[in-house]
Amino acid sequence: MTVSITRKDIKNELVDKIELLSGQNVFECYQCGNCSSGCPMVDYMDYTPNQVMRLAQTGAIEELLAAGTMWVCAACLQCSSRCPKGIDVAGVMEALRTINLRNRVGVITPDDISTEDRRELPPIVLVSAFRKLSG
Ligand code: SF4
Ligand code: SF4
Protein backbone atom coordinates (compact mmCIF):
# COMPACT_ATOMS: atom_id res chain seq x y z
CA MET A 1 0.00 0.00 0.00
CA THR A 2 1.30 3.46 -0.91
CA VAL A 3 1.41 5.92 1.96
CA SER A 4 -0.01 9.26 0.94
CA ILE A 5 2.36 12.22 1.29
CA THR A 6 0.99 15.72 1.06
CA ARG A 7 2.64 19.04 0.35
CA LYS A 8 2.56 20.05 4.01
CA ASP A 9 4.64 16.97 4.91
CA ILE A 10 7.47 18.08 2.65
CA LYS A 11 9.33 21.36 2.67
CA ASN A 12 11.91 21.25 -0.07
CA GLU A 13 13.06 24.05 -2.36
CA LEU A 14 13.81 21.64 -5.18
CA VAL A 15 10.32 20.15 -5.05
CA ASP A 16 9.00 23.72 -5.27
CA LYS A 17 11.26 24.35 -8.24
CA ILE A 18 10.07 21.23 -10.07
CA GLU A 19 6.49 22.31 -9.54
CA LEU A 20 7.25 25.86 -10.65
CA LEU A 21 9.05 24.77 -13.82
CA SER A 22 6.62 22.01 -14.78
CA GLY A 23 3.39 23.55 -13.55
CA GLN A 24 2.55 20.16 -12.02
CA ASN A 25 1.59 19.16 -8.49
CA VAL A 26 3.68 16.05 -7.84
CA PHE A 27 1.61 15.26 -4.75
CA GLU A 28 -1.36 14.44 -6.99
CA CYS A 29 0.33 11.20 -8.07
CA TYR A 30 -1.17 8.12 -6.43
CA GLN A 31 1.35 5.62 -7.83
CA CYS A 32 -0.91 3.71 -10.20
CA GLY A 33 2.07 3.02 -12.49
CA ASN A 34 0.27 3.80 -15.77
CA CYS A 35 3.01 6.22 -16.79
CA SER A 36 5.74 3.61 -16.37
CA SER A 37 3.84 0.82 -18.07
CA GLY A 38 3.58 2.88 -21.26
CA CYS A 39 7.07 4.38 -21.27
CA PRO A 40 9.14 3.11 -24.22
CA MET A 41 12.41 3.93 -22.42
CA VAL A 42 11.64 2.41 -19.03
CA ASP A 43 14.05 -0.51 -19.43
CA TYR A 44 16.94 1.96 -19.67
CA MET A 45 15.99 4.08 -16.65
CA ASP A 46 17.38 3.77 -13.16
CA TYR A 47 14.09 5.11 -11.77
CA THR A 48 10.81 4.48 -13.59
CA PRO A 49 8.52 7.47 -14.17
CA ASN A 50 6.27 6.59 -11.22
CA GLN A 51 9.37 6.17 -9.02
CA VAL A 52 10.45 9.64 -10.13
CA MET A 53 7.11 10.98 -8.95
CA ARG A 54 7.41 9.16 -5.64
CA LEU A 55 10.95 10.40 -5.01
CA ALA A 56 9.78 13.92 -5.79
CA GLN A 57 6.97 13.52 -3.25
CA THR A 58 9.43 12.43 -0.60
CA GLY A 59 11.78 15.30 -1.36
CA ALA A 60 14.59 13.03 -2.60
CA ILE A 61 15.42 15.43 -5.42
CA GLU A 62 19.20 15.27 -5.05
CA GLU A 63 18.93 11.55 -5.71
CA LEU A 64 16.77 12.20 -8.75
CA LEU A 65 19.09 14.87 -10.13
CA ALA A 66 22.00 12.42 -9.96
CA ALA A 67 20.04 9.70 -11.76
CA GLY A 68 20.04 8.93 -15.46
CA THR A 69 16.28 8.75 -15.95
CA MET A 70 15.69 12.34 -17.10
CA TRP A 71 18.44 12.05 -19.73
CA VAL A 72 17.06 8.78 -21.09
CA CYS A 73 13.53 10.18 -21.32
CA ALA A 74 12.64 10.69 -24.99
CA ALA A 75 10.04 13.38 -24.21
CA CYS A 76 7.46 11.33 -26.13
CA LEU A 77 4.60 12.39 -23.78
CA GLN A 78 3.23 8.84 -23.52
CA CYS A 79 3.36 9.02 -19.71
CA SER A 80 1.49 12.32 -19.64
CA SER A 81 -1.23 11.02 -21.93
CA ARG A 82 -1.74 7.91 -19.77
CA CYS A 83 -1.91 9.55 -16.35
CA PRO A 84 -5.44 9.28 -14.88
CA LYS A 85 -4.66 12.29 -12.68
CA GLY A 86 -3.73 14.44 -15.65
CA ILE A 87 -0.16 14.92 -14.47
CA ASP A 88 2.31 15.96 -17.15
CA VAL A 89 5.01 13.49 -16.12
CA ALA A 90 7.10 14.42 -19.17
CA GLY A 91 7.01 18.00 -17.91
CA VAL A 92 8.42 16.83 -14.57
CA MET A 93 11.25 15.08 -16.46
CA GLU A 94 11.87 18.28 -18.38
CA ALA A 95 11.97 20.25 -15.12
CA LEU A 96 14.59 17.87 -13.72
CA ARG A 97 16.69 18.30 -16.87
CA THR A 98 16.30 22.05 -16.69
CA ILE A 99 17.46 22.23 -13.06
CA ASN A 100 20.57 20.24 -13.96
CA LEU A 101 21.27 22.20 -17.15
CA ARG A 102 20.94 25.51 -15.29
CA ASN A 103 23.60 24.19 -12.92
CA ARG A 104 25.71 23.40 -16.00
CA VAL A 105 25.31 19.68 -15.50
CA GLY A 106 24.74 17.61 -18.64
CA VAL A 107 25.64 14.27 -20.14
CA ILE A 108 27.33 15.17 -23.42
CA THR A 109 29.71 17.83 -24.65
CA PRO A 110 30.76 18.59 -28.24
CA ASP A 111 34.09 16.90 -27.54
CA ASP A 112 32.25 13.63 -26.94
CA ILE A 113 31.14 13.53 -30.58
CA SER A 114 33.64 11.94 -32.93
CA THR A 115 34.78 13.84 -36.03
CA GLU A 116 33.16 11.17 -38.17
CA ASP A 117 29.81 11.55 -36.40
CA ARG A 118 30.03 15.34 -36.65
CA ARG A 119 30.42 15.02 -40.39
CA GLU A 120 27.66 12.48 -40.84
CA LEU A 121 24.94 13.51 -38.41
CA PRO A 122 22.38 16.09 -39.58
CA PRO A 123 23.03 19.45 -37.83
CA ILE A 124 19.53 19.43 -36.35
CA VAL A 125 20.34 16.19 -34.49
CA LEU A 126 23.45 17.71 -32.97
CA VAL A 127 21.72 20.97 -32.04
CA SER A 128 18.78 19.11 -30.47
CA ALA A 129 21.09 16.83 -28.52
CA PHE A 130 23.15 19.73 -27.19
CA ARG A 131 20.05 21.69 -26.23
CA LYS A 132 18.60 18.76 -24.32
CA LEU A 133 21.69 17.06 -22.94
CA SER A 134 24.52 19.52 -22.64
CA GLY A 135 25.01 21.78 -19.64
S1 SF4 B 1 8.07 11.29 -21.97
FE1 SF4 B 1 9.87 10.23 -21.12
S2 SF4 B 1 9.15 9.30 -19.22
FE2 SF4 B 1 7.35 9.86 -20.42
S3 SF4 B 1 6.82 7.99 -21.55
FE3 SF4 B 1 8.12 9.23 -22.89
S4 SF4 B 1 10.21 8.50 -22.52
FE4 SF4 B 1 8.92 7.75 -20.82
S1 SF4 C 1 0.19 7.66 -14.18
FE1 SF4 C 1 0.03 9.56 -12.96
S2 SF4 C 1 -0.89 8.95 -11.00
FE2 SF4 C 1 -0.17 7.08 -12.03
S3 SF4 C 1 1.91 6.77 -11.21
FE3 SF4 C 1 2.14 7.94 -13.10
S4 SF4 C 1 2.11 10.09 -12.47
FE4 SF4 C 1 1.33 8.89 -10.76
Side-chain angles (χ1 to χ4, degrees), residues 35 38-41 45 49 72-80 89-90 93:
C35 48
C39 174
M41 301 302 288
M45 294 173 167
V72 170
C73 167
C76 68
L77 307 182
Q78 183 74 252
C79 49
S80 305
V89 186
M93 297 289 184

Side-chain angles (χ1 to χ4, degrees), residues 8 10 18 21 35-36 41 45 50-51 72 79 88 97-98 106 114 123 127-128 132-133:
K8 66 178 168 34
I10 296 290
I18 286 174
L21 288 169
C35 48
S36 301
M41 301 302 288
M45 294 173 167
N50 69 292
Q51 287 174 331
V72 170
C79 49
D88 180 10
R97 280 194 296 273
T98 300
S114 70
V127 171
S128 300
K132 184 182 169 195
L133 305 171

Side-chain angles (χ1 to χ4, degrees), residues 28-36 49-50 53 79 82-87 89:
E28 286 279 306
C29 169
Y30 62 171
Q31 289 294 297
C32 69
N34 267 1
C35 48
S36 301
N50 69 292
M53 299 303 292
C79 49
R82 292 170 63 95
C83 178
K85 299 287 283 184
I87 301 169
V89 186

Side-chain angles (χ1 to χ4, degrees), residues 99-119:
I99 292 169
N100 263 337
L101 293 175
R102 286 182 181 176
N103 288 327
R104 307 199 66 77
V105 175
V107 285
I108 62 168
T109 66
D111 290 342
D112 295 331
I113 314 289
S114 70
T115 308
E116 190 177 278
D117 283 345
R118 275 186 235 173
R119 282 202 196 102

